[in-house]
Amino acid sequence: MNDEFETNEDIPGIAGGATLSERLPKGYLSVSQIGQYMKCGRAYEFRYVLDKPIPKTSFTALGSAVHAAAEKLHVGMMEAALPPPLEFVESAFSDAHDAHFEDPDVIIMEEDADGKTKDVGMKLTRLYYKGAIGELIDPETKEPLRKIYPIAAERVVRTMLKPTDGDEVPFLGIIDLEEADEVADLKTKRKKGNQGEVDNSLQLSLYAHVTGKKTVRHDQLIKPSAKLPERLFRIRSTRTDAEIEHAVNIAADVATDIARGRFPLTMPDNWWCTEKWCPFWSDCRGKKR
């Protein structure tokens, strides 16, 4: 546990009078932990409390490799007057993608069986590069996408969230891209998300809180389809104080429930409560009794 996350007051209802950071499995909350808990408390328990391993699949190889390439680009843009060569960014993607499959236990998903997903990821990497240096047209507005000016890439933020009532919450976030007045999260998707997805993003609200920057956005890289090529959209939103406060209160409620050992099951009709999407299916709903 990191000492900077300790609080001075005990949490009401926590056995033994332990502090909140002492009762959280990792000593802190993250956006991914909050999302997992709110999808299914039992799955959260399996992953973070019982430390059950998650099978490594090819499903996340593309997204993680694109993120690795984007980080190289952002860092290169911060360190030099000119952006790094495209070949440098392409190499970062290729190396990260190949490293994902060095583990012999990686499960190859059906969509990766023909190896075409690496080609798709490379196309997305090249597209993001063009957008970042200001050489791309927005596919909807037909206006040029502005060049980005990174001041931080994959920045790790450790802080305490202060809810309206109750105890402070130790929080860790990793911000994909930070500019002078904006915070951006990079997404690779099959279909373009709508404005509401960005307006209601808990992640972006919490990042607005920890950075003090209320203009937030999703940089959405959309995979090519049979009818459309790969596309890049930047969808912005502005957070109000009330929206940020609401997000912090959600995180505090999740932290308190976890600390008290509450791990509710999700609704059985949710798409993620299936053998395909939940790695803990055999330990929970799919278990033979």
Side-chain angles (χ1 to χ4, degrees):
M1 185 184 68
N2 193 321
D3 289 340
E4 68 182 292
F5 287 143
E6 291 187 359
T7 57
N8 295 322
E9 297 182 7
D10 294 340
I11 306 301
I14 303 299
T19 62
L20 182 55
S21 55
E22 290 171 335
R23 295 293 296 179
L24 293 174
K26 297 293 184 181
Y28 60 86
L29 272 190
S30 63
V31 171
S32 59
Q33 287 187 59
I34 296 169
Q36 178 66 84
Y37 183 85
M38 296 189 76
K39 284 173 67 176
C40 180
R42 184 63 56 83
Y44 177 94
E45 181 182 24
F46 282 130
R47 181 174 179 181
Y48 293 103
V49 179
L50 302 179
D51 287 324
K52 284 188 171 289
I54 299 177
K56 191 175 183 180
T57 74
S58 61
F59 184 77
T60 60
L62 184 150
S64 61
V66 169
H67 272 77
E71 181 183 6
K72 288 289 187 181
L73 172 60
H74 298 157
V75 171
M77 294 177 78
M78 287 188 290
E79 292 179 344
L82 295 176
L86 174 59
E87 294 77 11
F88 175 81
V89 180
E90 290 175 332
S91 179
F93 167 81
S94 183
D95 291 346
H97 189 277
D98 293 347
H100 190 87
F101 294 92
E102 290 177 357
D103 185 343
D105 295 326
V106 170
I107 299 172
I108 306 299
M109 306 294 284
E110 182 179 350
E111 61 266 33
D112 296 316
D114 56 9
K116 291 183 179 179
T117 53
K118 184 175 182 180
D119 295 335
V120 170
M122 187 64 77
K123 289 180 180 179
L124 295 178
T125 297
R126 292 167 181 156
L127 185 71
Y128 185 78
Y129 181 92
K130 289 182 67 176
I133 65 175
E135 294 183 357
L136 196 66
I137 301 298
D138 186 288
E140 287 187 334
T141 67
K142 307 306 179 184
E143 297 291 329
L145 288 174
R146 70 163 178 81
K147 179 181 177 180
I148 65 170
Y149 294 92
I151 63 170
E154 297 296 318
R155 182 162 80 94
V156 178
V157 178
R158 291 180 172 89
T159 189
M160 301 296 293
L161 303 179
K162 299 179 181 180
T164 305
D165 298 306
D167 297 84
E168 296 181 349
V169 179
F171 177 78
L172 182 146
I174 302 177
I175 301 173
D176 289 344
L177 171 63
E178 191 173 348
E179 298 189 77
D181 299 312
E182 292 187 33
V183 177
D185 188 64
L186 177 60
K187 304 285 187 184
T188 56
K189 300 166 66 72
R190 292 185 182 275
K191 295 182 179 180
K192 175 179 177 288
N194 58 31
Q195 184 67 47
E197 180 180 323
V198 183
D199 291 341
N200 295 310
S201 168
L202 179 74
Q203 179 183 37
L204 290 179
S205 294
L206 291 175
Y207 287 175
H209 174 67
V210 300
T211 64
K213 298 174 182 179
K214 294 185 177 180
T215 301
V216 295
R217 73 174 193 260
H218 276 170
D219 289 351
Q220 297 187 2
L221 282 169
I222 312 303
K223 299 175 185 178
S225 66
K227 296 182 178 181
L228 294 170
E230 60 276 10
R231 292 162 293 156
L232 171 62
F233 296 96
R234 292 182 188 157
I235 307 177
R236 286 180 172 80
S237 182
T238 302
R239 291 297 188 265
T240 65
D241 290 337
E243 289 169 334
I244 292 173
E245 181 181 33
H246 182 66
V248 171
N249 288 337
I250 288 174
D253 286 347
V254 169
T256 300
D257 280 350
I258 291 171
R260 290 175 176 169
R262 297 172 180 166
F263 304 107
L265 291 164
T266 191
M267 290 290 289
D269 58 352
N270 285 326
W271 62 264
W272 55 79
C273 189
T274 59
E275 186 173 8
K276 178 180 179 180
W277 295 106
C278 181
F280 311 112
W281 173 265
S282 61
D283 298 296
C284 183
R285 185 179 177 188
K287 185 177 180 180
K288 295 180 180 180
R289 300 183 184 279

